[in-house]
Amino acid sequence: MPMSPSVPRPRDPRSRPPTSFAMTRVGEASVVIAAGEIDLMVTARLAALLAEELRRQPPALICDMSAVEFCAARALTILIDTTADAAVKRVPFAVAGRSHALLRPIAALDLAQVLPVHRSVDEAVSWLALSAERNQAGRPR
């Protein structure tokens, strides 16, 4: 019996885009770049990279999720945990990337207030710079 065209077919695992992670710097900010499908098989790697970079206490940390094609809920938990850990360490943290794969679970779980996402790494860098200026202006001299 042929499948109805409206029934989604499972993906061929051989056609999955490879998941990759990289580190770079943009200005003073450390950037962890994630690409591909961020599923349960790779979220531990994402968590380890972000934690390792936080231990180094960079001036700012950005997680670039622009090239993510699937984002598991566990990945969002890692980003939220990193937001909290970065605040404790006083390292400004931002997430960049406006893909549907990233924004859909954030919207579905109503996490936009907890996990603001910037359009690009450059926008995140600008936001972090403004945040730093506001923090400096509010500190007593």
Side-chain angles (χ1 to χ4, degrees), residues 73-96:
R74 175 70 185 125
L76 298 179
T77 301
I78 290 165
L79 295 174
I80 292 167
D81 289 347
T82 302
T83 300
D85 294 344
V88 168
K89 293 185 178 268
R90 296 181 183 217
V91 173
F93 176 69
V95 178

Side-chain angles (χ1 to χ4, degrees), residues 102-120:
L102 175 64
L103 296 179
R104 188 175 75 195
I106 289 173
L109 297 169
D110 198 25
L111 297 174
Q113 296 296 335
V114 179
L115 193 61
V117 179
H118 304 276
R119 293 186 196 290
S120 65

